[in-house]
Amino acid sequence: MNFLEFKENFNIQLNEQQLAAVKAVDGHVLLLAVPGSGKTTVLITRLGYMVYCLGIEPRSILTMTYTVAATHEMRERFCSVFGEEMRESLEFRTINGVCAKIIASYEQLTRGRAFTLVTDEKELSTALSAIYKECTGEFPTESDIKGVRTMITYAKNMLLSAEEVEGMDEEGLPFSKIYQKYNSMLKAQKLMDYDDQMVYAHKILRMYPEILERVAKRYRYICVDEAQDTSKIQHAIISLLAKNSGNLFMVGDEDQSIYGFRAAYPQALLAFEAEHAGAKVLKMEENFRSGTKIVEAADRFIGKNTLRHPKNMRASRTDAGEVREIALSAKSSQYVYLLKAARACREETAVLYRDNESALPIIDILEKYGVPYKTRALDTSFFTSRAVQDITNIIRFAYDRCDTEAFMQIYYKINTHLNKAAAVAACEYCAREGMNVLDAVWEIGKIHMGVLKSCKAMKSHLDMLTSERADKAVSRIVNYMGYGEYLDRMGIKRSKAEILESIGAGEQTAKNLLSRLSELAEITREHKNPADCRFTLSTIHSAKGLEYDTVYLADVCDGSFPEQIVVNPKSAEREALAEYEEERRLFYVGATRAKNKLCIFTYSAKNSVFCDDFLGKEKPKQEKLPFSVNSAARKSEAEYAEFAAKIRVGTELCHKAFGAGTVTAVNGDIADVKFTSGTKKLSLHMLFEMNLLK
């Protein structure tokens, strides 16, 4: 069949760049495909071209992609275009599927028995929990185990040395020790996890040239989809398999590499020509998905990254689409806006965010008002994370001062300044005498007066915590009781506390917040997506490869998205630059999910370098919002009145410049505040507008 017949028989319609990619069969080829450029169409068309036009034996072609679901989808797409004839002949596999075949070849050659693959994640988590407890002395949460599993995957996929693994140790987390014991446990039981499957396959290919030759001879043509998401060890395996035939076709885009935490290795795409002699780099730069304004802004934005091949994405569509910043005063306004957007939703709409936990305040308000929504890959580990458990333990202790178990979990994380011996003694006295723990501190003796005063102050904080709205209580715990300082010392982000504060804004008391968290945990576990719902909540990671008529990008402010900013790429450390540019890629991927309308939430209290870059140097004038966002849309007199009402004689506060102080008098807008450096007269309006209190 010649190419003209091929096009007519299968109704193939391609632009010039797509056509060049389809016909690039021999040699090493890297195809860089921008978002919405039709890469899957090109991949399956190329397979059809190889079989029907060039007469290549289907069984000699191996197509690899990232997930099992993606292999099934690609096979179905191929069959929908070319029919069922080749369904069983063409191979679509994940990299782990290929590694399983390599290990099976090893068993045949050596007549040995490979380690058993553990497919039950719960089994691994149970074993890892015991190792974690042995190495740290603490019982791990679900979030702890998830974090360690991610670190293990990273170490194995990046082919890290023992010294490099030691470099992953953190305060309170001896990762290298956990890693060594975990691997020893697997070997002792003759087991392997999915990451080991690749480690062993890579080792087999290097140690047994006859196995490498057998597999490479079978697959003379190798195609790899989503190449930007493959890891260092995966690239090494693929390069070994393709070395003899010299026919490697990789499709990817380093601008869409967003899985660095899972060891994605986009550097391999940047080094493709250097690694493979005579390699060609092709591009597909036409975006068929989005309006011109979205495409132009996205192309301008990602063009500022340095770790990339130069590309110029252009729109196929002639209509403009819409890009808009929705500037609000606070996150709480965002949730009200999204509630109204969900109620009015008539087209496929997605709210995309950086971290899974960002969904919870949105879910909270949608559930309270009975508005339907869908979620994608919702993660429930938030509820068992260290920060959430600590804050809930502090709240529980505030309501029950005889809860010695909770106290022993928190006393060193807040400003009691007690040592362990004193804390234990106070708990024992409490249990024996029926006195609350902080009062017992005064009875056990040999406690420094400064520590006693700290415990007295903590008792006052706990008293106030039980009488204020839940978001204020969480803020008190983090900003005034010392827990935020503990998080900073431990290198733990404050983001989970911020989520609790957002949820707490809808709860009258901290005790109500505890009940609501239990409800939300059950809601997220049991939630079923309504079949006819068009309003979706998703992380950007989970939305990759998808598209929506309208996209809202949430929490786009410095410190949240992105977490850290690199001002000068030329002087930045390599690791910091790589992390920052991955966050820029994440924003780019989120923005390019939008077909017709892209809305970016920002807040007046915080800068947003991503939004500024995306919109260009000249921001468009703010358009009138399609929904009213009530009085919370900007700092109001009501907010100031609430703030001023808290400033009265005896109020303890912490000024950003003068430190801790106590209000001694209030006269209209002026408060007298006694600091260690002396008494200052401060304007309440100035304190409020300039956000001068910690």
Side-chain angles (χ1 to χ4, degrees):
M1 185 183 298
N2 62 41
F3 188 69
L4 182 60
E5 293 171 332
F6 176 72
K7 286 180 64 179
E8 291 177 351
N9 286 350
F10 299 111
N11 191 28
I12 304 299
Q13 297 180 13
L14 304 168
N15 64 25
E16 288 186 12
Q17 288 186 326
Q18 291 173 328
L19 180 60
V22 166
K23 290 187 173 182
V25 173
D26 296 321
H28 291 311
V29 180
L30 173 61
L31 175 61
L32 299 171
V34 303
S37 60
K39 70 176 179 63
T40 303
T41 297
V42 167
L43 257 175
I44 64 173
T45 302
R46 182 176 177 275
L47 291 173
Y49 173 74
M50 292 169 71
V51 173
Y52 291 105
C53 293
L54 302 185
I56 294 173
E57 171 60 41
R59 294 186 181 279
S60 68
I61 306 170
L62 172 63
T63 302
M64 286 188 279
T65 192
Y66 201 61
T67 65
V68 173
T71 63
H72 292 326
E73 181 184 351
M74 195 170 293
R75 180 181 288 107
E76 295 307 316
R77 285 280 299 272
F78 180 87
C79 292
S80 70
V81 175
F82 298 107
E84 296 288 326
E85 182 181 347
M86 299 294 172
R87 177 179 287 275
E88 302 303 325
S89 300
L90 282 169
E91 285 201 41
F92 299 90
R93 291 186 179 275
T94 63
I95 186 70
N96 279 95
V98 174
C99 289
K101 295 196 72 169
I102 292 168
I103 292 172
S105 295
Y106 164 79
E107 289 181 310
Q108 291 174 2
L109 178 70
T110 63
R111 298 178 183 271
R113 178 73 180 268
F115 288 175
T116 301
L117 177 66
V118 182
T119 58
D120 184 357
E121 188 63 31
K122 288 184 179 179
E123 182 180 343
L124 291 176
S125 295
T126 299
L128 193 55
S129 294
I131 294 169
Y132 186 103
K133 172 66 168 62
E134 179 185 349
C135 294
T136 67
E138 296 185 356
F139 289 101
T141 66
E142 177 189 349
S143 181
D144 292 331
I145 295 302
K146 181 183 175 184
V148 171
R149 287 288 290 128
T150 299
M151 294 171 75
I152 289 171
T153 290
Y154 182 87
K156 293 182 179 181
N157 275 264
M158 288 297 287
L159 296 169
L160 298 187
S161 65
E163 292 75 17
E164 289 170 322
V165 171
E166 287 178 5
M168 296 175 69
D169 285 347
E170 302 172 358
E171 185 174 351
L173 182 66
F175 172 71
S176 58
K177 186 177 179 182
I178 294 171
Y179 183 72
Q180 186 272 328
K181 286 184 175 292
Y182 172 77
N183 289 332
S184 297
M185 177 274 295
L186 289 176
K187 289 179 181 178
Q189 298 182 33
K190 297 185 177 181
L191 302 173
M192 62 178 169
D193 60 22
Y194 280 107
D195 301 312
D196 287 328
Q197 193 176 40
M198 291 184 288
V199 171
Y200 292 139
H202 182 233
K203 189 174 182 180
I204 288 166
L205 292 179
R206 289 185 295 115
M207 293 181 62
Y208 295 89
E210 57 269 52
I211 294 177
L212 173 59
E213 183 180 358
R214 180 190 302 175
V215 179
K217 189 174 180 180
R218 165 72 186 275
Y219 302 119
R220 294 188 298 109
Y221 296 90
I222 296 178
C223 312
V224 181
D225 188 22
E226 302 287 7
Q228 76 279 346
D229 294 333
T230 51
S231 66
K232 193 171 186 178
I233 193 170
Q234 290 169 350
H235 278 289
I237 292 169
I238 291 165
S239 294
L240 284 171
L241 293 177
K243 186 175 182 179
N244 289 340
S245 71
N247 296 320
L248 173 60
F249 185 78
M250 300 191 80
V251 185
D253 179 10
E254 69 280 349
D255 290 338
Q256 298 182 71
S257 181
I258 58 175
Y259 290 102
F261 64 96
R262 290 204 307 231
Y265 192 63
Q267 295 90 329
L269 274 63
L270 299 175
F272 190 82
E273 292 167 283
E275 183 179 343
H276 304 291
K280 291 187 293 186
V281 176
L282 303 178
K283 299 175 184 179
M284 296 199 315
E285 299 166 295
E286 188 172 3
N287 179 300
F288 295 92
R289 174 186 299 149
S290 307
T292 56
K293 284 187 177 180
I294 298 170
V295 171
E296 289 168 2
D299 184 60
R300 179 178 61 243
F301 178 83
I302 201 63
K304 293 187 178 182
N305 270 22
T306 61
L307 306 174
R308 67 189 296 265
H309 288 91
K311 294 181 286 295
N312 293 110
M313 182 168 61
R314 59 186 183 275
S316 174
R317 290 170 51 179
T318 56
D319 55 311
E322 183 179 1
V323 179
R324 182 173 65 224
E325 175 184 6
I326 301 176
L328 305 171
S329 65
K331 282 187 178 183
S332 57
S333 303
Q334 171 186 250
Y335 307 133
V336 175
Y337 189 103
L338 289 173
L339 170 66
K340 297 185 177 183
R343 280 174 166 166
C345 182
R346 298 294 182 270
E347 60 184 11
E348 291 298 330
T349 300
V351 181
L352 304 183
Y353 31 82
R354 183 183 183 279
D355 297 311
N356 231 309
E357 60 206 32
S358 296
L360 294 173
I362 309 172
I363 290 172
D364 180 46
I365 194 168
L366 293 176
E367 287 282 345
K368 283 180 176 177
Y369 285 89
V371 178
Y373 61 94
K374 287 183 178 180
T375 60
R376 286 188 58 82
L378 195 60
D379 182 5
T380 61
S381 61
F382 169 86
F383 300 99
T384 62
S385 65
R386 286 284 174 195
V388 173
Q389 288 201 339
D390 286 343
I391 291 172
T392 54
N393 276 333
I394 292 168
I395 293 173
R396 288 191 181 95
F397 182 72
Y399 284 96
D400 180 4
R401 310 290 171 82
C402 294
D403 187 345
T404 55
E405 183 177 345
F407 183 75
M408 289 304 297
Q409 293 293 323
I410 63 170
Y411 76 90
Y412 59 95
K413 299 173 183 178
I414 55 178
N415 291 336
T416 66
H417 301 301
L418 290 165
N419 59 34
K420 187 173 182 179
V424 170
C427 287
E428 290 175 346
Y429 192 94
C430 165
R432 187 169 60 249
E433 302 296 332
M435 179 183 292
N436 83 61
V437 179
L438 289 177
D439 285 341
V441 172
W442 291 78
E443 305 297 329
I444 59 178
K446 297 182 180 179
I447 302 295
H448 189 275
M449 182 55 67
V451 175
L452 292 174
K453 287 183 178 179
S454 295
C455 289
K456 183 179 180 181
M458 199 55 51
K459 185 179 177 182
S460 297
H461 277 302
L462 292 169
D463 289 340
M464 288 185 281
L465 184 158
T466 60
S467 62
E468 58 193 353
R469 204 173 65 195
D471 57 332
K472 306 299 182 185
V474 174
S475 176
R476 177 181 298 279
I477 290 167
V478 175
N479 298 312
Y480 298 102
M481 294 172 63
Y483 186 67
E485 296 167 18
Y486 167 78
L487 291 176
D488 295 341
R489 287 197 305 274
M490 299 302 292
I492 301 172
K493 296 187 295 184
R494 296 190 180 198
S495 58
K496 289 180 173 57
E498 292 172 1
I499 296 297
L500 288 178
E501 197 170 336
S502 295
I503 297 170
E507 302 300 331
Q508 286 302 308
T509 67
K511 183 175 285 187
N512 289 352
L513 175 60
L514 297 184
S515 299
R516 185 56 179 164
L517 288 175
S518 296
E519 292 169 358
L520 284 173
E522 184 175 357
I523 286 168
T524 54
R525 283 194 301 268
E526 303 298 329
H527 180 71
K528 299 291 188 297
N529 289 332
D532 57 347
C533 181
R534 296 184 172 185
F535 193 80
T536 300
L537 310 178
S538 175
T539 61
I540 298 173
H541 289 98
S542 295
K544 190 169 179 290
L546 303 177
E547 58 185 37
Y548 301 90
D549 296 304
T550 297
V551 166
Y552 294 95
L553 289 179
D555 299 337
V556 184
C557 58
D558 299 353
S560 295
F561 191 14
E563 285 190 315
Q564 301 291 335
I565 299 170
V566 170
V567 178
N568 186 355
K570 292 182 179 179
S571 61
E573 294 183 5
R574 184 177 181 84
E575 184 177 347
L577 179 62
E579 290 177 359
Y580 177 60
E581 293 205 349
E582 176 158 328
E583 289 218 65
R584 290 181 62 86
R585 295 195 295 267
L586 187 64
F587 185 90
Y588 172 76
V589 168
T592 52
R593 300 310 93 199
K595 295 196 292 185
N596 303 320
K597 185 189 296 184
L598 174 65
C599 301
I600 305 169
F601 282 115
T602 61
Y603 315 108
S604 58
K606 293 187 177 182
N607 294 325
S608 178
V609 66
F610 278 7
C611 186
D612 290 351
D613 276 1
F614 196 83
L615 296 176
K617 292 183 180 179
E618 295 183 6
K619 288 187 180 181
K621 291 182 180 179
Q622 291 298 308
E623 300 179 32
K624 186 176 180 181
L625 302 181
F627 309 112
S628 62
V629 187
N630 75 25
S631 59
R634 61 181 183 271
K635 282 195 173 182
S636 65
E637 285 303 313
E639 287 176 312
Y640 168 71
E642 182 181 354
F643 168 82
K646 297 177 182 177
I647 308 299
R648 50 187 182 268
V649 174
T651 299
E652 295 179 351
L653 50 78
C654 186
H655 192 281
K656 288 183 177 179
F658 305 127
T662 303
V663 177
T664 58
V666 179
N667 184 13
D669 180 53
I670 302 300
D672 292 352
V673 184
K674 184 177 181 181
F675 299 97
T676 54
S677 58
T679 298
K680 309 284 184 183
K681 290 185 178 294
L682 303 176
S683 163
L684 298 185
H685 268 101
M686 186 67 72
L687 292 173
F688 175 71
E689 294 295 339
M690 302 299 292
N691 195 29
L692 294 176
L693 299 183
K694 288 186 180 179

